[in-house]
Amino acid sequence: MAEFTMELNDDQKQVRDWIHGFAADVMRPAAAEWDEREETPWPVIQEAAKVGIYSLDFYAQQFFDPTGLGIPMAMEELFWGDAGIALSIVGTGLAAIGVVANGTEEQIGTWIPQMYGTPDDVKVAAFCSSEPDAGSDVGSMRTRAVYDQTKDEWVLNGTKTWATNGGIANVHIVVAVVDPALGTKGHASFIIPPNTPGLSQGQKFKKHGIRASHTAEVVLEDVRIPGSCLLGGKEKLDERLARAHERARSGGGERVKNAAMATFEASRPAVGAMAVGTARAAYEVALDYAKTRTQFGRPIIDNQGVAFQLADMRTQIDAARLLVWRASWMAVAGRPFESAEGSMSKLFASEVAKKVTAQAVQILGGNGFTREYPVERMHRDSAIYTIFEGTSEIQRLVIARTISGMPIR
């Protein structure tokens, strides 16, 4: 296992520069247009597929990087390009992580390729967990999955919300309640194959930021899927439920991770890297602007009020990146998050992105408030990082419970 390092090796630098080039040459020129259109940038996704960035092989290579830095490095560069387009490119990854984290080898081999499609016929996937009444409170989830033993089928009913690629995805991964008596321990994840009857897109959301990324409700009405579409298989689920019931009867307090939480834990440092990318992009625009914009006969960076802001921005970005890299290395090295280091990285990087992009707007003044300059879009985009995949408040709750061992509410 590789030791923790703050220096990328030559191969990683080559990959980083390749992704950076795509972000600079393809994503950035298209960013403003797709933000205004509020539509999925299929041509950009296809370009990413043609060069190999939108592919199973690319993400597998980064995921299995022995240093753990492949994914955060890639996320930072893509989201440096543009957060909305980048989320359209990487959104399928959350569904893929759900399958890898909870599925069998056969399920991984069967379904993940269908999530991406081919360069000539690109597809996307969606991970569906949140509901209108169950966001941070996953215990309030109402979507039900009932097993029909006579047909070896699962029947799903409910409504999911805030689903990236929801309704337009080729494959949907849906978290549902299979045993209401067990609360969050009674959840399981299911694969909804393409063109399954009963699945439809509900409301498509018009958002404050990341507007090039499709976000919508997913409605499930008597959706029938084969028994083989239960992630991990029924035998494994039955064993897990039996253990949970036994612990409940005996008053045992052992914590059991459900499928959705396992997915989020694996992805939180990656979200932190996305936030670092957006923050870095805004900082670079502000730095260049401060060095060239003159007021009272000199560049505005000559003023401590501006220069000190930029110094703080850079310091916070670097600190956020280090937290993300530490958590990513710990995950690949099998080190337990004894102080919730994954949540720490996501929390800090998300808050830094909001603060840095706001400072960038302030440094650009009136220009920063217009859509003629990208920091306005970056500031809007940054708001999502403190909300999705666990709000900042939830991250603090996770950290507090972990470091204290207390059931803080």
Side-chain angles (χ1 to χ4, degrees):
M1 182 58 63
E3 293 297 321
F4 178 67
T5 177
M6 294 182 288
E7 180 68 27
L8 299 177
N9 61 42
D10 290 341
D11 290 340
Q12 291 169 326
K13 289 177 181 177
Q14 185 176 6
V15 172
R16 178 199 61 190
D17 294 345
W18 169 53
I19 301 171
H20 184 85
F22 179 84
D25 298 338
V26 179
M27 295 172 64
R28 282 205 166 179
E33 175 189 351
W34 291 101
D35 177 71
E36 290 287 346
R37 291 176 64 169
E38 299 191 53
E39 296 174 359
T40 300
W42 291 107
V44 184
I45 299 174
Q46 187 169 36
E47 286 300 311
K50 287 180 179 178
V51 301
I53 290 176
Y54 185 75
S55 71
L56 173 60
D57 288 342
F58 172 74
Y59 287 107
Q61 289 172 12
Q62 304 315 309
F63 185 81
F64 290 110
D65 181 332
T67 69
L69 302 184
I71 289 293
M73 176 193 66
M75 295 301 105
E76 179 176 338
E77 295 304 325
L78 288 170
F79 281 75
W80 173 90
D82 178 68
I85 292 177
L87 193 57
S88 288
I89 292 173
V90 308
T92 294
L94 187 60
I97 289 172
V99 175
V100 171
N102 304 295
T104 64
E105 290 186 7
E106 182 179 357
Q107 288 170 333
I108 293 169
T110 299
W111 296 106
I112 290 185
Q114 295 188 49
M115 293 180 174
Y116 289 95
T118 67
D120 294 325
D121 185 21
V122 293
K123 305 293 185 183
V124 295
F127 182 79
C128 309
S129 178
S130 294
E131 298 184 1
D133 295 319
S136 298
D137 181 14
V138 293
S140 296
M141 190 177 293
R142 296 180 180 177
T143 297
R144 287 293 309 275
V146 178
Y147 184 59
D148 183 346
Q149 189 170 2
T150 61
K151 296 183 178 180
D152 185 26
E153 291 180 339
W154 288 91
V155 184
L156 280 76
N157 283 280
T159 299
K160 294 295 181 178
T161 193
W162 309 121
T164 299
N165 298 330
I168 66 170
N170 196 45
V171 178
H172 291 75
I173 304 300
V174 174
V175 182
V177 179
V178 295
D179 192 333
L182 291 174
T184 59
K185 299 178 182 65
H187 295 178
S189 290
F190 298 86
I191 304 160
I192 312 298
N195 304 313
T196 297
L199 184 148
S200 62
Q201 179 183 307
Q203 176 187 5
K204 177 186 174 182
F205 296 104
K206 297 181 72 67
K207 305 187 298 295
H208 175 65
I210 55 166
R211 302 198 303 190
S213 173
H214 177 95
T215 310
E217 291 182 331
V218 174
V219 180
L220 304 143
E221 297 179 304
D222 291 329
V223 172
R224 285 186 167 268
I225 56 174
S228 60
C229 287
L230 166 65
L231 278 178
K234 193 167 188 305
E235 182 177 350
K236 183 177 179 181
L237 173 65
D238 288 343
E239 291 175 356
R240 178 166 64 82
L241 296 178
R243 290 195 302 270
H245 276 292
E246 179 60 32
R247 280 190 292 271
R249 285 192 294 269
S250 64
E254 182 183 351
R255 295 181 63 190
V256 178
K257 297 175 184 176
N258 64 40
M261 291 302 101
T263 300
F264 288 139
E265 278 191 16
S267 63
R268 277 172 179 160
V271 176
M274 299 173 189
V276 170
T278 299
R280 191 184 108 213
Y283 157 77
E284 290 176 0
V285 173
L287 177 63
D288 289 343
Y289 185 88
K291 291 163 67 175
T292 57
R293 171 70 167 171
T294 59
Q295 288 288 280
F296 305 104
R298 62 182 184 178
I300 62 173
I301 200 171
D302 282 356
N303 300 299
Q304 287 186 0
V306 174
F308 285 7
Q309 283 193 75
L310 289 162
D312 286 343
M313 292 158 73
R314 176 58 185 267
T315 300
Q316 291 164 352
I317 291 167
D318 282 10
R321 182 185 296 110
L322 289 174
L323 282 173
V324 167
W325 283 16
R326 180 185 69 168
S328 301
W329 173 79
M330 290 178 68
V332 78
R335 302 289 181 89
F337 287 166
E338 294 180 351
S339 299
E341 287 86 353
S343 290
M344 281 185 184
S345 69
K346 198 267 187 186
L347 168 65
F348 189 78
S350 298
E351 297 291 341
V352 164
K354 285 187 69 174
K355 184 175 181 180
V356 165
T357 55
Q359 288 176 302
V361 170
Q362 189 69 22
I363 289 171
L364 269 67
N367 286 328
F369 199 64
T370 72
R371 295 190 181 179
E372 296 301 313
Y373 288 79
V375 293
E376 179 271 341
R377 184 179 68 253
M378 295 167 183
H379 184 42
R380 286 189 286 108
D381 291 341
S382 71
I384 193 60
Y385 300 125
T386 61
I387 298 172
F388 73 172
E389 293 198 51
T391 64
S392 287
E393 291 74 21
I394 289 297
Q395 306 307 324
R396 291 185 175 97
L397 184 63
V398 170
I399 296 166
R401 286 176 173 174
T402 304
I403 62 177
S404 70
M406 301 296 290
I408 297 168
R409 297 185 179 276

